[in-house]
Amino acid sequence: MAELLRVERLRTSFRTPRGVLRAVDGVDFVLEPGRTLGIVGESGSGKSVTALSIMKLVDRPGRVDPGSRIVFEGRDLASLDERRMSDIRGNEMSMIFQEPMTSLNPVFTVGDQIAEAVQLHQGLNKRNAIARAVEMMRLVGIPSAEKRVEDYPHQLSGGMRQRVMIAMALSCNPKLLIADEPTTALDVTVQAQILELMKDLRERLGMAILLITHDLGVVAEMVDEVAVMYAGRIVERGPVAEVFESPQHPYTEALLRSIPIVGMRYSQPLEAIKGMVPSPLDWPTGCRFAPRCEYAFDRCVTEDPPLLAVPPQESACWLCESGRRVPGAAQVAG
């Protein structure tokens, strides 16, 4: 299948008074048309910065470092100027942000905000653009769209505002939708509705989705493949069912052990991942998860493991150098 998006050697850094903060430090992945890739990890792992880098929305003092490649349908976005990137952003690729109230303009109606993107990229006049806005609001399940198109953001519930954001993102029929924590601020029932809506629209419109989240339940429900990020890098990636069934990186295993399971006794505590995520101002040598890893041995603190093939997955763990490891089992490495 043809590639829609290829990210290679993505590095995004921020200059601070304390030094250079390397938020994303060598990320690689491929996304095919019509597929969904989930990127998961703890807060501070670099998930959202990865998404903003792809959209070229990293503000100063941040920058996508030279040598990074973001190839979208054969075009390297990292090398495009802002004018050419503006033709792609919101048109061929769109993004849904985590908190719609900070992304919607409070002084314009939601209909005007959806119509603005259509006028800019599709060349429609105001009347036809508003009609398109009504059509998109109906598509995402907003009732009485002809009336709600005149509402301001504060007049809508959180779930309706998120539906407006999805309508805005899809108004120009993008080939790629990037969703950054699209359900975090919503209650559980609304989360389920939004996720079901996104799955339905993916099937109907044939677009690819890059889903950024820390919620492993959302990942299990939504994605075809998953990439697990830790300390600015992808440490494991592969088909979601295989990664969840047999995680090959100790960090993935620890993440899965830290979530509650149906039937778990009330008195049974969740397993926390010991330690803290290291500072991106000074990443440790060797494997960045080694200080928190119960399987770490001498080589882990001196040599940085690449992504090793453990079909159908890849894992950046020296324990996978000789083949698949057994998650949760004691292992001896020389």
Side-chain angles (χ1 to χ4, degrees):
M1 186 178 292
E3 296 174 356
L4 180 67
L5 176 69
R6 173 177 285 272
V7 175
E8 294 180 339
R9 305 182 300 277
L10 178 61
R11 288 180 167 83
T12 304
S13 58
F14 296 82
R15 295 196 174 276
T16 74
R18 296 175 54 197
V20 177
L21 186 154
R22 293 173 291 156
V24 177
D25 194 25
V27 164
D28 303 86
F29 63 83
V30 173
L31 180 57
E32 297 169 344
R35 303 279 287 176
T36 300
L37 171 68
I39 299 182
V40 302
E42 292 173 273
S43 296
S45 61
K47 306 185 302 296
S48 293
V49 177
T50 297
L52 292 172
S53 300
I54 293 170
M55 294 292 290
K56 294 195 74 172
L57 291 174
V58 176
D59 294 327
R60 291 184 178 180
R63 71 164 190 170
V64 175
D65 293 344
S68 302
R69 297 190 73 226
I70 307 166
V71 182
F72 178 71
E73 290 198 314
R75 293 162 291 181
D76 188 358
L77 304 185
S79 65
L80 296 185
D81 58 33
E82 181 56 28
R83 184 188 64 80
R84 293 170 65 195
M85 187 64 201
S86 294
D87 292 336
I88 296 173
R89 189 192 301 125
N91 186 28
E92 297 179 54
M93 54 194 298
S94 294
M95 186 166 177
I96 304 170
F97 296 92
Q98 183 171 345
E99 175 47 65
M101 219 31 202
T102 62
S103 304
L104 293 170
N105 192 320
V107 301
F108 290 97
T109 67
V110 294
D112 282 338
Q113 294 184 65
I114 298 172
E116 181 182 17
V118 179
Q119 288 180 277
L120 176 64
H121 293 295
Q122 305 291 316
L124 300 184
N125 59 33
K126 181 64 179 288
R127 180 177 179 179
N128 290 336
I130 290 293
R132 173 69 172 167
V134 172
E135 177 188 345
M136 294 307 302
M137 289 174 70
R138 285 201 195 103
L139 181 67
V140 299
I142 296 178
S144 305
E146 300 85 352
K147 296 180 180 178
R148 305 311 292 266
V149 77
E150 298 295 334
D151 285 351
Y152 290 87
H154 72 271
Q155 295 176 291
L156 301 175
S157 67
M160 286 299 168
R161 285 195 293 267
Q162 195 62 287
R163 288 172 185 267
V164 168
M165 288 294 298
I166 296 173
M168 189 182 304
L170 300 182
S171 60
C172 295
N173 297 320
K175 298 171 183 176
L176 170 63
L177 176 66
I178 300 176
D180 184 11
E181 304 276 10
T183 61
T184 295
L186 307 176
D187 63 59
V188 176
T189 55
V190 178
Q191 281 188 31
Q193 293 171 4
I194 294 296
L195 292 175
E196 195 60 37
L197 170 65
M198 290 178 63
K199 285 167 56 179
D200 178 60
L201 292 174
R202 179 188 62 183
E203 298 301 321
R204 291 167 62 181
L205 303 178
M207 65 185 176
I209 298 176
L210 180 62
L211 179 64
I212 312 291
T213 184
H214 65 271
D215 189 328
L216 296 178
V218 170
V219 170
E221 177 73 16
M222 281 288 298
V223 312
D224 302 303
E225 293 187 305
V226 60
V228 181
M229 282 194 74
Y230 181 78
R233 291 183 176 173
I234 291 175
V235 296
E236 182 167 358
R237 64 187 176 203
V240 65
E242 282 77 3
V243 171
F244 277 39
E245 177 67 25
S246 181
Q248 293 300 298
H249 195 281
Y251 178 62
T252 311
E253 180 187 331
L255 277 182
L256 291 169
R257 288 203 312 246
S258 69
I259 60 175
I261 301 171
V262 174
M264 179 181 287
R265 297 190 308 273
Y266 180 75
S267 60
Q268 184 177 347
L270 294 174
E271 295 188 39
I273 304 175
K274 66 179 182 180
M276 299 289 292
V277 178
S279 170
L281 288 167
D282 186 24
W283 294 127
T285 57
C287 174
R288 294 176 183 180
F289 188 61
R292 308 174 71 187
C293 180
E294 61 187 77
Y295 304 111
F297 58 100
D298 291 347
R299 188 180 186 185
C300 300
V301 297
T302 58
E303 295 184 50
D304 189 12
L307 278 169
L308 301 168
V310 277
Q313 292 140 260
E314 293 177 296
S315 172
C317 178
W318 289 122
L319 294 173
C320 296
E321 190 174 29
S322 300
R324 296 177 68 83
R325 58 182 289 267
V326 181
Q331 304 203 33
V332 177

